[in-house]
Each structure stands twice: as structure tokens, then as C-alpha cells.
Amino acid sequence: MPTPTRLAFLAAALPATLLAQPVPEGAENVPGNTPAFPEQTEAPAQDSGIALSQSTVAEGLVHPWAVEVLPGGAGYLVTERPGRLRHVSPGGEVSAPIAGVPDVLAERQGGLLDVAVDPAFDTNRVIYLTYARPVGGGLSVTAAARAVLAEDFSQLTEVRDIFVQDPPSPTPMHYGSRVVPAAEGIVYVTTGDHATARERVLAQSLWNTYGKVVRVTASGEVPPGNPFADREEARGEIWSLGHRNVQGAALHPGTGELWTVEHGPAGGDELNRIAPGDNFGWPVVSYGVEYRGGPIGSGRARHAPEFVEPVYYWDPVIAPGGMVFYDGDMFEAWRGDILIAGLVASAIVRLDVEDGLVVGEERLLEGVGRVRDVAVDADGSILFVTDFADGGLYRLARD
């Protein structure tokens, strides 16, 4: 047996990241799981050692779901799940509801969900919304709309859907619903599987858009390069499949790759790097289990070789909302890191990413409540919204 002196020598010789313990999270749902590679889960807990201050930008928001920073210091757009889009001024004044928002199904997880500005917003004032669109008979779908925002932020015009999920669902759950405008008129939209055992199996089929990341043009066409566009009986807008409920998505600022984060069942929240045609395995494989404890699908956790392994997974879950790659000036040490809104984590989850792998994890503002979305303001401070009936928009900055 090594002596205490020998153990101390070994500890001093090892990198600090190998000695650090993961973020304490409680009991795992599947304690027997073995990750596919060492960095895939339970990254070493980090403490940035930065004094932080939280301030209120705006309060009295009803279940805010998304926040988007407007260019040129023009304030922020915030969605409220019951169906309202608000403009919040830089000083925190909340506008009346912006007119022209599509009708939504505001039931359970449904409602008005994401908002994003077009890369050319300065010249075209185009924004994108996602929402639970009612289609009659108690059915609904995830939809993404394109609209033009008035100069005075009072109304939307030229509103039209560029993506409508198919088929309609009777279950107002798991809408996914992040929208990510990219360069050259490309728009990504994430969807969910609508939660029920009967519906979630559709995440493995190409004739529908359940449990998918879709890629369309700003006018709703199927763009060149989509992997299934020429396949008979496949939906041409599908970019990747095998997802459960993707509620976070962002483009890597260096590579332009799309990364996503999605809800697992009991355990198995996933961070994924998306490539065209990738299949991430839901509901055949999962690093989680059913809420009642039974196995998912095949009962196998490991995704490969048939499916793509997640970059990272959590057990127990953080219940992720929106995500963003940090690319600001206020926290230089965090550049390239991922910030994720944590509903169950009740925090902003920071992932230290190096060469495509997660090498550290930190919980910021732990205990702050159900964080639904995060964004980075022009000065590098971090904005986030809390998903409560009396929710708010807040700022995290250096103290």
C-alpha cells in the first residue's frame, strides 16, 4: 500500500482537473452507467473565483421563455409563454404586448416560446418566433414564424410560418422550439417528441418532424445540403433526428457548428454537436431511465455504434433551457465556454469546453430559481429569465 508521502507525491504530479470532484448533484438515476469516454459526464467542478453581482432588469413577466438582445443597444425582446412578446428598454421599461403575434396554444408546455433576430436585423428588422400552434380539435404543433418588427417596437407585420411540425399532436408537451438564424439565410428549428410513448417513437422516423433539428431557409424552403432532401418519403427539412426535447441551441462562434442541449427522462440530459444526418438515438438508447424507473427502449445507455454519442450528459438532470456560447469581454476566461439555463439545476450552468470536450463545470447563482434562457449583452454581461408566473429578466455582471 502506498505511504501517505507517496500518495501526496502522486497527487502533486496529477493535473488538478483529474483530482477535482464533480459538481455535487445528489443520487444518480442510473448509477451503473459507464460513459463512452472520460469527459462525457461528471466533469470536475470549477470555481471561477470571480465576484459576481445580480441585478434586476425587469420584473412582472409571466412565464418568460426567451430573451434576445437587440442590436445597437435597443434593448431586449422577451417572450411570455401565455402568448405575449414584449420589448424591454435598456432601462428596464416593459412595453405593452407587441401586436401581430400569432395565436398560440397556451396549455401545459405550450405557448409563445423562442424569439431570435435575423443576422441582418439592422437593415431588414426581421425576427423569428417559435410557438405552439393550435390546429383545431385539441391538436397542436411546433411552428416557426418570420416577421418584421416595427421601428417603434409596437407591432409585427408580414408574419408567416416558415416551418410547421407534422403530424399534429394531441399532447401539449415537448415542443422543443429553439430557433437559430444562421448565415446565408439559413434557419435551424428544434422540435420535441410530444412526450407520450406512442408519439416519441416517431423521433426515429424520417416521414415526420418529431424529435428533430430542422434546417430551412428564411422563406421556409428546403435549402441545398440537407441530408434527406432527395430521399423518398423523408421530410427534406430534417437535419438530425433521434432527439427527445431540444430546448437549447446555439452556433459555435468559431466553427459555425450547431450545438444543442436537450431534456432526458430521469437522467440523460444531453449536450450534442450536430452534423447533417446524425441520429442521436432517442428513444432507443438513453443515459437515463423512465420516470418510474424502467429502462428506455433497448435498455442500453451507450449510443455508439448505431447512434451518435452526446458530447456530455447529466445524471441527475439539470433540465436545460436555452444555451449560448460565451463570446463577451466581461468574463474573458469564459470565452468559448457554454452557458446553459438550468430549470432543475436552479442555476446558470457553465461548461468549460476545450477541443470539443467538456473539461469543467460550474454552477453560477445556484438557487436562483428556474432559469429558462440565457443571453450575452453587448458589454459581456449575462442576461437570463426565470420561468415563474411572476418571472423576471436579470443581469449577471462582475461585482
Side-chain angles (χ1 to χ4, degrees):
M1 178 179 292
T3 65
T5 301
R6 175 62 175 165
L7 289 173
F9 172 80
L10 291 173
L14 288 171
T17 54
L18 295 181
L19 297 172
Q21 295 298 307
V23 173
E25 297 181 288
E28 296 177 344
N29 292 279
V30 195
N33 272 348
T34 302
F37 49 91
E39 300 86 359
Q40 196 180 27
T41 192
E42 294 190 336
Q46 292 186 349
D47 181 353
S48 297
I50 300 172
L52 303 173
S53 66
Q54 177 188 336
S55 59
T56 300
V57 179
E59 291 183 308
L61 299 167
V62 181
H63 291 292
W65 208 90
V67 54
E68 178 74 332
V69 179
L70 289 165
Y76 318 102
L77 294 176
V78 177
T79 59
E80 293 178 300
R81 190 153 42 84
R84 295 179 291 271
L85 176 65
R86 307 273 192 178
H87 173 249
V88 179
S89 73
E93 182 179 357
V94 179
S95 75
I98 295 172
V101 172
D103 291 335
V104 307
L105 181 76
E107 296 180 12
R108 299 186 74 180
Q109 294 179 356
L112 183 62
L113 302 172
D114 203 11
V115 58
V117 300
D118 189 83
F121 178 84
D122 283 339
T123 57
N124 63 20
R125 297 197 65 82
V126 168
I127 70 167
Y128 301 91
L129 298 170
T130 60
Y131 64 106
R133 173 179 165 174
V135 294
L139 304 176
S140 65
V141 294
T142 299
R146 178 187 188 275
V148 176
L149 178 63
E151 293 278 353
D152 64 358
F153 309 107
S154 64
Q155 65 176 335
L156 301 180
T157 58
E158 303 178 42
V159 181
R160 60 189 180 89
D161 288 333
I162 62 170
F163 167 73
V164 177
Q165 188 183 45
D166 183 64
S169 171
T171 314
M173 300 280 285
H174 289 198
Y175 289 94
S177 221
R178 288 293 164 190
V179 58
V180 182
E184 300 179 351
I186 296 297
V187 181
Y188 297 96
V189 183
T190 73
T191 75
D193 67 355
H194 287 284
T196 67
R198 178 180 60 84
E199 293 171 298
R200 70 187 188 187
V201 296
L202 300 182
Q204 284 296 314
S205 300
L206 293 174
W207 62 266
N208 70 86
T209 49
Y210 281 40
K212 309 295 193 296
V213 173
V214 302
R215 179 179 180 261
V216 296
T217 68
S219 58
E221 305 295 326
V222 174
N226 277 20
F228 307 109
D230 297 326
R231 186 176 298 189
E232 188 175 354
E233 297 184 356
R235 293 291 297 263
E237 61 264 57
I238 295 173
W239 190 245
S240 64
L241 66 153
H243 301 284
R244 185 171 181 265
N245 188 23
V246 184
Q247 289 199 349
L251 298 174
H252 189 285
T255 67
E257 292 175 308
L258 182 72
W259 291 51
T260 65
V261 63
E262 67 183 81
H263 289 253
D269 288 350
E270 293 184 3
L271 174 72
N272 288 307
R273 182 170 54 239
I274 308 297
D278 280 353
N279 185 338
F280 291 90
W282 179 260
V284 180
V285 295
S286 174
Y287 283 97
V289 293
E290 299 282 7
Y291 291 119
R292 295 184 179 180
I296 299 291
S298 67
R300 195 183 85 212
R302 192 68 61 89
H303 289 30
E306 298 98 320
F307 307 110
V308 178
E309 288 286 349
V311 173
Y312 195 72
Y313 73 84
W314 289 266
D315 182 13
V317 300
I318 61 168
M323 64 173 280
V324 65
F325 283 92
Y326 187 80
D327 196 25
D329 293 329
M330 186 171 291
F331 304 100
E332 292 185 11
W334 295 353
R335 284 182 183 162
D337 291 354
I338 298 174
L339 303 177
I340 300 171
L343 295 158
V344 168
S346 188
I348 297 172
V349 178
R350 182 184 67 83
L351 298 181
D352 184 356
V353 180
E354 295 181 7
D355 299 323
L357 297 173
V358 177
V359 298
E361 181 172 352
E362 182 176 17
R363 302 292 169 88
L364 306 172
L365 301 181
E366 198 161 16
V368 74
R370 289 173 54 83
V371 183
R372 175 64 73 176
D373 195 20
V374 288
V376 179
D377 208 349
D379 64 355
S381 62
I382 297 163
L383 299 164
F384 65 97
V385 291
T386 54
D387 187 357
F388 296 111
D390 185 15
L393 171 62
Y394 303 96
R395 184 184 308 279
L396 180 63
R398 280 185 178 271
D399 196 352

